[in-house]
Amino acid sequence: MSFFSKIFNRTKKDNLGYPDVKFGRFAKPSENEELLDLKTQADELFESGQYLDAYVTFFDYMQKLGGPAVLCEIDNDTNDFIFKLLQGSKIVSGVINQTDILVESKVAKFSGENIALMRYLLSQNTKFAYTKYAIDGDTIYLRQRCPIKDMSPQSFSDMLSEIAICADSTDEYLETEFANIIPVDYENIIPLDSNELRTKIEFLRVWIKESFELIEKCKFEKFKPYLLLALVYKILYLISPEGALLNRFRKILSIYSTYDKEEDNMNEVFYKMDKELHAIAELSDSELEKSLYRTYAVFPELEYMTFAEMVDSVVELLRLPLKAAEANMDDEVVPLCEFIVGYHLNLHGMPDAASELLLIFWRTLNSEYFYGIGFTDTFYNETVQQLAQTRIAQEIERINAKYSVIYPGFQFNLLAVDMSTLEDFAYTFLLEFKNLQIPE
């Protein structure tokens, strides 16, 4: 059995009986004492001139951090250290010996001459700190070769991250923008089962349609960008698209980043965002399917944020659903609460206790979607429009019991959550969420 076959031959249920579904992007975890000790040991070995030993220790750290997506071994014949890393649809491979380091990732292949492609790759080389595009025959690589003594473990980690993340994010762009591009290294993509795939396409369309309708009737213009962003963040986290579709949603976020408060150009910015979203809505099922799959990642796309820092932001943003409720705009309350949660889950990593509680938030507000992707116990009954209070309470108590051992004083007070309606639940859940005690 091949290395990648071993990785992908996974079970479909975790120890709680929940389906094995990926949510959001890979976020940087907080490093425990064991991981920090390994990093320190690698640095000390490097400083003492034990370069290869330093890298062996560094990859011990990487394997504990990246799990099965990190493969490494010593070649018995040459004594070279050989490794492969998974990052999305790409593989980063390398060889380290006593004197040199070689790292590379195949980005794509091409056929025939393509002057525009060559010019693009050359222009992009100026943006890299550690790597460069290279052409070898008909294959485009990101590659770095250097003496081992010139690359400390920390610099090596930064270089690997640059190559891995760029290779993974560039291939679909090249395929879209340039003729004669041939994709490579797609054997490490994990297909979704037919039920999950069908559900994700269905709800992507449902949520977009509902968002258009809500934005159309929203009487407060300043809410409209937040409602559109709420949809984008929700899809990015719950449906977790890859490839070209991921890039299209990221383009909407990049358009929003051009908003200038001094110029007050929000109408123009919102028009461009809305146009891009309508273009996504017009994609066929087969086009959507191409970007709905699962991957593994070694290097995080999201930086970790302490819970205290996140709480400050949550408190500030809670003014949005409060303002909607005070204006009797009940339809906007849940999406604005989802905006707050989606924004943070797409912006940064957070403690597991926080993300597990926020999954309860999502499951309650999107019960049919979660049932469709394999969660058999629902937290909201759509037919009678009632929250499953007992089941929600059981799940919260499980999380309280689990994390109160790690964080003394940790307690999510379910009595503080109003379960009368979804709007009441969403807002009061976040009010209680911000009171959690999760020290770093």
Side-chain angles (χ1 to χ4, degrees), residues 414-434:
L414 184 62
L415 296 178
V417 179
D418 187 338
M419 296 201 188
S420 303
T421 66
L422 288 179
E423 292 79 17
D424 292 325
F425 169 83
Y427 183 70
T428 57
F429 187 96
L430 293 183
L431 283 179
E432 175 58 21
F433 178 79
K434 69 179 177 56

Side-chain angles (χ1 to χ4, degrees), residues 243-255:
L245 187 57
L246 171 61
N247 289 336
R248 297 187 78 145
F249 280 111
R250 283 177 169 172
K251 182 178 180 181
I252 295 176
L253 298 181
S254 70
I255 293 172

Side-chain angles (χ1 to χ4, degrees), residues 168-379:
D168 182 41
S169 62
T170 301
D171 56 348
E172 291 92 353
Y173 174 80
L174 296 180
E175 188 178 355
T176 302
E177 297 295 323
F178 299 98
N180 305 322
I181 292 292
I182 305 167
V184 296
D185 282 350
Y186 274 82
E187 69 270 18
N188 52 317
I189 283 176
I190 311 166
L192 303 182
D193 65 44
S194 59
N195 183 67
E196 183 179 344
L197 180 63
R198 182 176 61 254
T199 299
K200 287 189 170 183
I201 292 175
E202 175 189 350
F203 277 86
L204 185 145
R205 297 196 185 284
V206 168
W207 291 339
I208 290 178
K209 180 177 181 292
E210 290 175 347
S211 180
F212 285 156
E213 293 172 350
L214 183 59
I215 290 171
E216 180 68 26
K217 71 177 185 179
C218 181
K219 59 187 178 183
F220 188 41
E221 289 294 322
K222 290 188 176 180
F223 275 170
K224 292 185 176 182
Y226 292 112
L227 295 174
L228 195 152
L229 288 171
L231 170 69
V232 172
Y233 287 135
K234 180 175 180 175
I235 290 173
L236 286 177
Y237 187 73
L238 293 185
I239 294 181
S240 193
E242 301 284 348
L245 187 57
L246 171 61
N247 289 336
R248 297 187 78 145
F249 280 111
R250 283 177 169 172
K251 182 178 180 181
I252 295 176
L253 298 181
S254 70
I255 293 172
Y256 181 74
S257 69
T258 65
Y259 171 56
D260 189 324
K261 290 184 179 179
E262 292 185 1
E263 294 183 6
D264 194 21
N265 62 337
M266 179 47 73
N267 287 340
E268 176 186 355
V269 168
F270 177 77
Y271 170 79
K272 292 179 179 178
M273 294 166 63
D274 188 63
K275 182 179 179 181
E276 290 295 328
L277 189 57
H278 273 83
I280 293 173
E282 293 172 1
L283 295 174
S284 67
D285 285 0
S286 61
E287 288 174 305
L288 294 175
E289 285 179 14
K290 292 178 182 178
S291 295
L292 295 175
Y293 51 83
R294 182 170 171 175
T295 63
Y296 281 88
V298 176
F299 292 98
E301 298 180 46
L302 309 177
E303 291 296 318
Y304 184 80
M305 178 181 282
T306 66
F307 188 75
E309 291 173 315
M310 180 172 61
V311 164
D312 290 340
S313 175
V314 170
V315 169
E316 173 64 21
L317 292 174
L318 276 170
R319 61 184 172 79
L320 294 171
L322 178 60
K323 188 171 184 178
E326 290 174 343
N328 294 319
M329 299 170 65
D330 291 347
D331 290 344
E332 283 81 356
V333 171
V334 167
L336 291 172
C337 287
E338 289 186 334
F339 162 75
I340 297 171
V341 175
Y343 169 77
H344 285 285
L345 286 168
N346 284 279
L347 179 68
H348 58 80
M350 63 183 67
D352 290 343
S355 60
E356 286 187 32
L357 280 167
L358 292 179
L359 188 60
I360 296 176
F361 172 92
W362 286 121
R363 290 179 62 185
T364 305
L365 300 180
N366 300 276
S367 185
E368 289 187 348
Y369 171 75
F370 277 88
Y371 184 79
I373 60 175
F375 285 76
T376 54
D377 54 339
T378 59
F379 290 172

